[in-house]
Amino acid sequence: MSVINIQEKFKLFSDFWSPKKIGELNGQQILLAKIKGEFIWHAHEHEDELFMIIKGSLMIEFRDKTIELNEGEIYIIPKGVEHKPIAQEEVHVLLFEPLDIKHTGNVMADVTVEAFENI
């Protein structure tokens, strides 16, 4: 057991769209990611996905609407819902997901990460 300083963890990496694992609990993982630009359309067939904005502002497009998340806000995307995150500027986000979630759902792309690095 140890204290995890989220801000210090964000200083350990600079790559975008490549989540880093900072902890696990009860079959779930806590990930940090830096994102900028547009991601791909994807869905997680069996898993809900929680986004918490630590720094910046994130847009998430859905097929029927777009939402904006700001610092300190959380949004939970239900399983099976197709979405596409977009960040005009660099955004720092905390993700809370099951251990076996696929980064880009059933879509394989250049941005797909097979295994999340522990930091």
Side-chain angles (χ1 to χ4, degrees), residues 31-109:
L31 304 169
L32 298 181
K34 291 181 178 179
I35 56 181
K36 185 176 181 182
E38 291 193 22
F39 203 52
I40 61 170
W41 282 103
H42 69 287
H44 303 283
E45 186 176 341
H46 302 290
E47 304 91 6
D48 299 328
E49 186 175 26
L50 181 147
F51 285 79
M52 178 177 184
I53 308 306
I54 304 299
K55 174 185 168 189
S57 177
L58 178 67
M59 305 294 287
I60 301 178
E61 285 189 4
F62 298 95
R63 292 299 184 181
D64 62 343
K65 66 180 178 180
T66 300
I67 62 156
E68 181 176 353
L69 297 172
N70 296 296
E71 290 180 19
E73 294 182 329
I74 290 175
Y75 193 81
I76 299 168
I77 299 174
K79 61 185 167 193
V81 175
E82 197 173 21
H83 58 286
K84 179 173 80 167
I86 301 169
Q88 299 299 324
E89 301 294 328
E90 182 174 317
V91 176
H92 294 184
V93 63
L94 181 146
L95 303 162
F96 189 73
E97 305 173 336
L99 288 170
D100 59 354
I101 197 168
K102 293 180 181 174
H103 183 223
T104 53
N106 291 329
V107 177
M108 292 302 292

XYZ file of all heavy atoms in Angstrom, residues 31-109:
646
model
N -6.570 4.152 -14.610
C -5.648 4.553 -15.662
C -5.569 6.073 -15.733
O -6.565 6.761 -15.484
C -6.129 4.035 -17.026
C -6.365 2.538 -17.158
C -7.096 2.234 -18.460
C -5.042 1.798 -17.110
N -4.391 6.582 -16.098
C -4.218 7.995 -16.407
C -3.869 8.091 -17.874
O -3.127 7.261 -18.403
C -3.088 8.610 -15.582
C -3.255 8.618 -14.070
C -2.035 9.282 -13.423
C -4.536 9.321 -13.648
N -4.382 9.119 -18.531
C -4.043 9.322 -19.939
C -3.953 10.812 -20.227
O -4.680 11.618 -19.643
C -5.087 8.680 -20.844
N -3.047 11.129 -21.138
C -2.977 12.463 -21.713
C -3.543 12.322 -23.115
O -3.175 11.400 -23.855
C -1.535 12.958 -21.783
C -0.944 13.244 -20.423
C 0.479 13.768 -20.538
C 1.021 14.093 -19.152
N 2.418 14.592 -19.216
N -4.464 13.205 -23.456
C -5.084 13.101 -24.771
C -5.114 14.456 -25.455
O -5.215 15.499 -24.801
C -6.491 12.471 -24.676
C -7.390 13.236 -23.721
C -6.401 11.040 -24.213
C -8.771 12.640 -23.594
N -4.990 14.418 -26.765
C -5.048 15.626 -27.584
C -5.385 15.200 -29.001
O -4.856 14.224 -29.509
C -3.718 16.378 -27.554
C -3.766 17.702 -28.288
C -2.463 18.460 -28.139
C -2.544 19.784 -28.865
N -1.273 20.517 -28.786
N -6.293 15.947 -29.622
C -6.746 15.612 -30.967
C -7.986 14.736 -30.909
O -8.695 14.709 -29.910
N -8.236 14.019 -32.003
C -9.418 13.156 -32.088
C -9.023 11.694 -31.958
O -8.034 11.256 -32.526
C -10.130 13.355 -33.431
C -10.791 14.699 -33.557
C -11.742 14.774 -34.750
O -12.206 13.719 -35.238
O -12.022 15.907 -35.179
N -9.812 10.954 -31.208
C -9.635 9.509 -31.103
C -10.489 8.872 -32.201
O -10.958 9.556 -33.111
C -10.047 9.034 -29.700
C -9.438 7.738 -29.269
C -8.074 7.533 -29.321
C -10.232 6.703 -28.801
C -7.501 6.330 -28.925
C -9.682 5.502 -28.391
C -8.313 5.318 -28.450
N -10.733 7.589 -32.115
C -11.540 6.890 -33.112
C -12.904 6.544 -32.526
O -13.078 6.472 -31.311
C -10.837 5.600 -33.594
C -10.622 4.642 -32.410
C -9.533 5.919 -34.291
C -10.155 3.260 -32.807
N -13.877 6.334 -33.407
C -15.175 5.830 -32.965
C -14.983 4.405 -32.473
O -14.341 3.584 -33.147
C -16.178 5.825 -34.119
C -16.742 7.163 -34.426
C -16.399 7.977 -35.469
C -17.763 7.842 -33.698
N -17.133 9.128 -35.416
C -17.988 9.070 -34.342
C -18.502 7.540 -32.556
C -18.926 10.000 -33.892
C -19.437 8.454 -32.100
C -19.646 9.667 -32.759
N -15.508 4.115 -31.288
C -15.417 2.764 -30.745
C -16.451 2.591 -29.639
O -17.052 3.554 -29.179
C -14.014 2.476 -30.197
C -13.675 3.253 -28.969
N -13.404 4.608 -28.983
C -13.576 2.865 -27.673
C -13.146 5.018 -27.746
N -13.255 3.979 -26.940
N -16.666 1.349 -29.230
C -17.574 1.029 -28.125
C -16.957 -0.133 -27.358
O -16.154 -0.896 -27.893
C -18.952 0.649 -28.645
N -17.322 -0.243 -26.107
C -16.904 -1.365 -25.270
C -18.157 -2.200 -25.034
O -19.045 -1.783 -24.292
C -16.288 -0.865 -23.965
C -15.134 0.053 -24.203
N -13.883 -0.384 -24.571
C -15.056 1.405 -24.167
C -13.082 0.646 -24.725
N -13.764 1.741 -24.496
N -18.211 -3.336 -25.692
C -19.426 -4.150 -25.729
C -19.917 -4.592 -24.353
O -21.116 -4.619 -24.087
C -19.173 -5.380 -26.606
C -20.388 -6.227 -26.836
C -20.107 -7.381 -27.780
O -19.113 -7.332 -28.532
O -20.888 -8.349 -27.748
N -18.979 -4.915 -23.442
C -19.370 -5.485 -22.158
C -18.993 -4.630 -20.946
O -19.244 -5.046 -19.816
C -18.729 -6.872 -21.994
C -19.091 -7.819 -23.090
N -20.350 -8.349 -23.237
C -18.363 -8.306 -24.114
C -20.380 -9.131 -24.299
N -19.187 -9.114 -24.847
N -18.375 -3.468 -21.152
C -17.858 -2.693 -20.022
C -18.327 -1.237 -20.066
O -18.327 -0.614 -21.123
C -16.316 -2.675 -20.039
C -15.673 -4.034 -20.052
C -15.407 -4.571 -21.461
O -15.628 -3.841 -22.445
O -14.984 -5.731 -21.563
N -18.703 -0.716 -18.907
C -18.917 0.720 -18.755
C -17.535 1.368 -18.666
O -16.552 0.715 -18.313
C -19.683 1.032 -17.463
C -21.068 0.404 -17.419
O -21.695 0.256 -18.484
O -21.519 0.070 -16.310
N -17.467 2.669 -18.951
C -16.186 3.381 -18.916
C -16.391 4.719 -18.215
O -17.281 5.477 -18.575
C -15.697 3.590 -20.353
C -14.336 4.189 -20.480
C -13.880 4.255 -21.935
O -14.727 4.307 -22.855
O -12.661 4.267 -22.135
N -15.558 4.980 -17.205
C -15.656 6.229 -16.454
C -14.518 7.155 -16.850
O -13.353 6.761 -16.840
C -15.584 5.958 -14.949
C -15.699 7.179 -14.038
C -16.409 6.815 -12.749
C -14.343 7.791 -13.723
N -14.863 8.390 -17.225
C -13.903 9.445 -17.516
C -13.982 10.487 -16.409
O -15.069 10.981 -16.115
C -14.254 10.170 -18.825
C -13.941 9.417 -20.074
C -14.782 8.408 -20.527
C -12.830 9.739 -20.827
C -14.513 7.731 -21.701
C -12.553 9.066 -22.013
C -13.393 8.055 -22.439
N -12.846 10.849 -15.809
C -12.779 11.964 -14.870
C -11.723 12.935 -15.385
O -10.575 12.551 -15.605
C -12.395 11.514 -13.465
C -12.280 12.677 -12.509
S -11.901 12.143 -10.828
C -11.978 13.731 -10.013
N -12.117 14.176 -15.580
C -11.211 15.171 -16.135
C -10.403 15.800 -14.997
O -10.958 16.397 -14.083
C -11.974 16.260 -16.911
C -12.907 15.632 -17.946
C -10.994 17.245 -17.544
C -12.250 14.675 -18.915
N -9.086 15.631 -15.085
C -8.165 16.188 -14.097
C -7.697 17.572 -14.542
O -7.576 18.499 -13.732
C -6.945 15.258 -13.895
C -7.383 13.838 -13.505
C -5.965 15.843 -12.886
C -8.166 13.740 -12.214
N -7.438 17.726 -15.852
C -6.966 18.998 -16.401
C -7.519 19.162 -17.811
O -7.473 18.229 -18.613
C -5.433 19.013 -16.443
C -4.824 20.219 -17.123
C -3.319 20.078 -17.218
C -2.747 21.135 -18.151
N -1.325 20.889 -18.412
N -8.063 20.328 -18.104
C -8.521 20.630 -19.454
C -9.999 20.393 -19.656
O -10.780 20.295 -18.712
N -10.373 20.314 -20.927
C -11.766 20.167 -21.320
C -11.847 19.127 -22.437
O -11.110 19.214 -23.425
C -12.301 21.515 -21.815
O -13.621 21.393 -22.254
N -12.728 18.166 -22.297
C -12.851 17.057 -23.244
C -14.250 17.030 -23.836
O -15.245 17.125 -23.112
C -12.578 15.724 -22.528
C -12.713 14.460 -23.364
C -11.624 14.402 -24.442
C -12.657 13.220 -22.478
N -14.316 16.902 -25.149
C -15.582 16.677 -25.828
C -15.684 15.177 -26.093
O -14.683 14.535 -26.443
C -15.630 17.419 -27.168
C -15.357 18.908 -27.068
S -16.617 19.805 -26.168
C -17.942 19.780 -27.334
N -16.873 14.628 -25.929
C -17.113 13.236 -26.310
C -18.305 13.241 -27.254
O -19.398 13.667 -26.879
C -17.372 12.320 -25.100
C -16.185 12.354 -24.135
C -17.626 10.882 -25.582
C -16.368 11.513 -22.883
N -18.052 12.784 -28.476
C -19.123 12.681 -29.467
C -19.805 11.333 -29.335
O -19.147 10.307 -29.139
C -18.568 12.819 -30.890
C -18.189 14.213 -31.270
C -17.843 14.344 -32.754
O -17.976 13.353 -33.517
O -17.423 15.441 -33.133
N -21.115 11.374 -29.421
C -21.943 10.184 -29.523
C -22.677 10.306 -30.852
O -22.658 11.370 -31.471
C -22.929 10.106 -28.350
C -22.247 10.006 -27.006
C -22.016 11.151 -26.255
C -21.820 8.788 -26.510
C -21.379 11.072 -25.025
C -21.173 8.704 -25.283
C -20.959 9.849 -24.538
N -23.324 9.277 -31.293
C -24.012 9.330 -32.589
C -25.172 10.335 -32.568
O -25.537 10.871 -33.608
C -24.502 7.953 -33.007
C -23.366 6.995 -33.331
C -22.511 7.484 -34.475
N -21.477 6.503 -34.818
C -20.594 6.687 -35.757
N -20.566 7.797 -36.462
N -19.693 5.762 -36.004
N -25.719 10.627 -31.369
C -26.882 11.511 -31.297
C -26.638 12.815 -30.536
O -27.534 13.650 -30.438
C -28.057 10.773 -30.669
C -27.779 10.338 -29.229
O -26.602 10.306 -28.818
O -28.753 10.024 -28.519
N -25.425 13.008 -29.992
C -25.151 14.229 -29.234
C -23.656 14.334 -28.964
O -22.899 13.386 -29.190
C -25.906 14.238 -27.904
C -25.445 13.154 -26.929
C -26.225 13.196 -25.632
C -25.780 12.063 -24.706
N -26.517 12.078 -23.446
N -23.243 15.497 -28.478
C -21.870 15.729 -28.034
C -21.945 16.330 -26.642
O -22.765 17.213 -26.384
C -21.141 16.704 -28.985
O -21.111 16.130 -30.299
C -19.718 16.965 -28.528
N -21.080 15.845 -25.739
C -21.022 16.424 -24.393
C -19.649 17.045 -24.184
O -18.684 16.687 -24.863
C -21.297 15.379 -23.294
C -20.230 14.285 -23.311
C -22.699 14.800 -23.422
C -20.081 13.591 -21.978
N -19.571 17.982 -23.251
C -18.298 18.581 -22.868
C -18.068 18.328 -21.390
O -18.961 18.547 -20.562
C -18.295 20.084 -23.132
C -16.975 20.741 -22.769
C -16.923 22.213 -23.118
O -17.862 22.724 -23.767
O -15.932 22.862 -22.736
N -16.877 17.848 -21.064
C -16.481 17.606 -19.679
C -15.354 18.562 -19.323
O -14.419 18.740 -20.102
C -15.996 16.170 -19.499
C -17.011 15.066 -19.755
C -16.329 13.709 -19.718
C -18.118 15.135 -18.731
N -15.456 19.154 -18.133
C -14.440 20.085 -17.662
C -13.776 19.550 -16.404
O -14.224 18.553 -15.827
C -15.080 21.453 -17.401
C -15.619 22.046 -18.693
O -14.863 22.331 -19.607
N -16.927 22.184 -18.776
N -12.721 20.215 -15.977
C -11.953 19.772 -14.803
C -12.870 19.467 -13.629
O -13.792 20.229 -13.327
C -10.943 20.843 -14.402
C -9.826 20.983 -15.400
C -8.801 22.031 -15.025
O -8.724 22.420 -13.833
O -8.061 22.463 -15.924
N -12.618 18.319 -13.011
C -13.387 17.910 -11.840
C -14.681 17.195 -12.163
O -15.379 16.750 -11.258
N -15.011 17.047 -13.445
C -16.260 16.387 -13.822
C -16.018 14.936 -14.220
O -14.944 14.573 -14.707
C -16.939 17.140 -14.968
C -17.406 18.524 -14.547
C -18.123 19.279 -15.626
O -17.822 19.104 -16.827
O -19.016 20.078 -15.267
N -17.048 14.126 -14.005
C -17.025 12.693 -14.308
C -18.178 12.382 -15.245
O -19.274 12.941 -15.120
C -17.169 11.859 -13.011
C -15.915 11.976 -12.155
C -17.462 10.399 -13.325
C -16.038 11.287 -10.803
N -17.928 11.448 -16.161
C -18.993 10.959 -17.033
C -18.805 9.456 -17.197
O -17.688 8.981 -17.406
C -18.934 11.643 -18.406
C -20.167 11.436 -19.235
C -21.302 12.209 -19.037
C -20.214 10.442 -20.206
C -22.444 12.025 -19.793
C -21.355 10.239 -20.967
C -22.461 11.034 -20.758
O -23.605 10.839 -21.503
N -19.889 8.718 -17.113
C -19.841 7.267 -17.280
C -20.533 6.918 -18.588
O -21.702 7.241 -18.789
C -20.512 6.543 -16.103
C -19.783 6.886 -14.804
C -20.533 5.028 -16.346
C -20.508 6.458 -13.547
N -19.778 6.262 -19.468
C -20.330 5.814 -20.744
C -20.778 4.364 -20.570
O -19.967 3.491 -20.255
C -19.283 5.933 -21.871
C -18.862 7.399 -22.024
C -19.837 5.367 -23.178
C -17.740 7.624 -22.999
N -22.069 4.104 -20.753
C -22.568 2.733 -20.587
C -21.998 1.783 -21.639
O -21.681 2.188 -22.762
C -24.080 2.880 -20.770
C -24.368 4.334 -20.561
C -23.145 5.056 -21.034
N -21.883 0.536 -21.266
C -21.387 -0.486 -22.200
C -22.199 -0.462 -23.488
O -23.405 -0.197 -23.472
C -21.411 -1.858 -21.556
C -22.776 -2.337 -21.143
C -22.690 -3.645 -20.399
C -24.012 -3.938 -19.713
N -23.889 -5.016 -18.757
N -21.496 -0.698 -24.578
C -22.141 -0.783 -25.874
C -22.407 0.533 -26.572
O -22.856 0.540 -27.718
N -22.139 1.667 -25.922
C -22.422 2.973 -26.522
C -21.202 3.456 -27.306
O -20.122 3.639 -26.750
C -22.817 4.018 -25.448
C -22.990 5.392 -26.067
C -24.099 3.586 -24.733
N -21.391 3.670 -28.601
C -20.304 4.135 -29.456
C -19.987 5.594 -29.136
O -20.890 6.413 -28.953
C -20.720 3.977 -30.927
C -19.566 4.046 -31.880
C -19.978 3.716 -33.298
O -21.175 3.808 -33.636
O -19.081 3.375 -34.080
N -18.682 5.893 -29.075
C -18.258 7.247 -28.712
C -16.899 7.575 -29.316
O -16.164 6.680 -29.728
C -18.214 7.413 -27.192
C -17.311 6.448 -26.489
N -17.623 5.122 -26.306
C -16.087 6.614 -25.930
C -16.648 4.510 -25.654
N -15.681 5.400 -25.420
N -16.603 8.888 -29.353
C -15.321 9.363 -29.888
C -14.880 10.575 -29.077
O -15.461 11.650 -29.197
C -15.436 9.738 -31.364
C -14.118 10.274 -31.946
C -14.177 10.477 -33.437
C -14.857 11.762 -33.783
N -14.674 12.148 -35.201
N -13.836 10.425 -28.234
C -13.304 11.566 -27.480
C -12.526 12.516 -28.395
O -11.842 12.088 -29.330
C -12.362 10.918 -26.461
C -12.764 9.475 -26.413
C -13.264 9.159 -27.785
N -12.641 13.817 -28.094
C -11.929 14.853 -28.837
C -11.393 15.879 -27.844
O -12.146 16.385 -27.008
C -12.857 15.569 -29.836
C -13.449 14.562 -30.829
C -12.119 16.692 -30.570
C -14.565 15.128 -31.681
N -10.107 16.199 -27.978
C -9.479 17.195 -27.104
C -8.774 18.237 -27.970
O -7.811 17.915 -28.655
C -8.479 16.527 -26.160
N -9.274 19.466 -27.941
C -8.653 20.540 -28.725
C -7.261 20.875 -28.192
O -6.347 21.152 -28.950
C -9.538 21.792 -28.695
C -10.916 21.587 -29.288
C -10.886 21.195 -30.756
O -10.049 21.657 -31.519
N -11.789 20.309 -31.153
N -7.119 20.870 -26.875
C -5.841 21.105 -26.196
C -5.533 19.863 -25.364
O -6.398 19.010 -25.168
C -5.926 22.343 -25.293
C -6.291 23.628 -26.020
C -5.235 24.082 -27.008
O -4.039 23.831 -26.757
O -5.600 24.680 -28.045
N -4.343 19.777 -24.808
C -3.977 18.626 -23.980
C -4.908 18.499 -22.778
O -5.158 19.476 -22.070
C -2.531 18.755 -23.496
C -2.076 17.569 -22.680
C -0.597 17.635 -22.321
O 0.223 17.982 -23.197
O -0.273 17.330 -21.161
N -5.417 17.303 -22.574
C -6.316 16.995 -21.464
C -5.703 15.854 -20.660
O -5.155 14.909 -21.229
C -7.722 16.587 -21.982
C -8.621 16.171 -20.830
C -8.347 17.727 -22.770
N -5.813 15.950 -19.338
C -5.391 14.866 -18.454
C -6.659 14.223 -17.910
O -7.528 14.909 -17.364
C -4.535 15.402 -17.305
C -3.229 15.969 -17.754
N -2.282 16.427 -16.885
C -2.701 16.153 -18.991
C -1.236 16.866 -17.550
N -1.471 16.714 -18.837
N -6.740 12.908 -18.052
C -7.959 12.201 -17.672
C -7.627 10.969 -16.840
O -6.609 10.320 -17.046
C -8.780 11.833 -18.940
C -8.028 10.896 -19.841
C -10.130 11.259 -18.603
N -8.492 10.671 -15.885
C -8.435 9.446 -15.106
C -9.546 8.557 -15.633
O -10.689 9.007 -15.797
C -8.628 9.737 -13.624
C -8.568 8.528 -12.682
C -7.941 8.932 -11.360
C -9.940 7.936 -12.448
N -9.215 7.303 -15.922
C -10.177 6.333 -16.418
C -10.302 5.205 -15.409
O -9.304 4.767 -14.831
C -9.710 5.753 -17.760
C -9.451 6.768 -18.869
C -8.603 6.153 -19.968
C -10.756 7.287 -19.428
N -11.502 4.736 -15.204
C -11.760 3.631 -14.288
C -12.483 2.567 -15.093
O -13.594 2.800 -15.585
C -12.608 4.129 -13.111
C -12.754 3.134 -12.005
C -11.701 2.854 -11.153
C -13.953 2.475 -11.802
C -11.830 1.937 -10.116
C -14.102 1.560 -10.773
C -13.034 1.294 -9.933
N -11.827 1.404 -15.282
C -12.339 0.393 -16.197
C -12.033 -1.013 -15.697
O -11.074 -1.207 -14.947
C -11.690 0.560 -17.574
C -11.831 1.934 -18.159
C -11.032 2.124 -19.436
O -10.034 1.409 -19.648
O -11.420 2.991 -20.217
N -12.784 -2.023 -16.177
C -12.448 -3.405 -15.843
C -11.063 -3.775 -16.354
O -10.593 -3.231 -17.361
C -13.530 -4.213 -16.556
C -14.664 -3.259 -16.733
C -14.018 -1.918 -16.947
N -10.421 -4.726 -15.683
C -9.072 -5.152 -16.067
C -8.990 -5.687 -17.495
O -7.987 -5.508 -18.170
C -8.561 -6.225 -15.105
C -8.192 -5.748 -13.707
C -7.944 -6.935 -12.787
C -6.973 -4.835 -13.756
N -10.041 -6.329 -17.975
C -9.976 -6.965 -19.289
C -10.535 -6.105 -20.423
O -10.725 -6.581 -21.540
C -10.680 -8.319 -19.264
C -12.148 -8.219 -18.876
O -12.608 -7.112 -18.506
O -12.840 -9.248 -18.946
N -10.757 -4.822 -20.183
C -11.296 -3.958 -21.234
C -10.294 -3.829 -22.385
O -9.085 -3.849 -22.185
C -11.664 -2.558 -20.673
C -12.583 -1.820 -21.637
C -10.403 -1.752 -20.373
C -13.225 -0.580 -21.049
N -10.817 -3.743 -23.591
C -9.978 -3.509 -24.769
C -9.950 -2.010 -25.025
O -11.010 -1.365 -25.063
C -10.529 -4.261 -25.977
C -10.444 -5.760 -25.827
C -11.012 -6.452 -27.048
C -10.952 -7.960 -26.865
N -11.610 -8.661 -27.969
N -8.767 -1.465 -25.206
C -8.553 -0.024 -25.348
C -9.497 0.623 -26.359
O -10.098 1.663 -26.082
C -7.087 0.220 -25.742
C -6.702 1.642 -25.845
N -5.930 2.104 -26.870
C -6.944 2.709 -25.056
C -5.723 3.393 -26.719
N -6.323 3.786 -25.624
N -9.642 0.015 -27.519
C -10.502 0.575 -28.558
C -11.673 -0.353 -28.884
O -12.158 -0.400 -30.007
C -9.681 0.865 -29.841
O -8.968 -0.315 -30.215
C -8.700 1.993 -29.632
N -12.130 -1.072 -27.868
C -13.246 -1.990 -28.072
C -12.895 -3.042 -29.106
O -11.808 -3.600 -29.089
N -13.805 -3.290 -30.040
C -13.568 -4.284 -31.088
C -12.910 -3.685 -32.325
O -12.756 -4.361 -33.335
C -14.883 -4.968 -31.476
C -15.395 -5.854 -30.350
O -14.616 -6.402 -29.582
N -16.707 -5.978 -30.249
N -12.520 -2.416 -32.257
C -11.877 -1.742 -33.374
C -10.366 -1.790 -33.173
O -9.856 -1.429 -32.112
C -12.337 -0.258 -33.462
C -11.608 0.462 -34.580
C -13.844 -0.179 -33.641
N -9.643 -2.260 -34.188
C -8.181 -2.239 -34.150
C -7.710 -1.069 -35.006
O -8.159 -0.910 -36.134
C -7.601 -3.554 -34.676
C -7.877 -4.749 -33.776
S -7.250 -4.575 -32.092
C -5.500 -4.623 -32.380
N -6.811 -0.238 -34.424
C -6.319 0.945 -35.138
C -4.888 1.215 -34.712
O -4.362 0.571 -33.796
C -7.209 2.140 -34.816
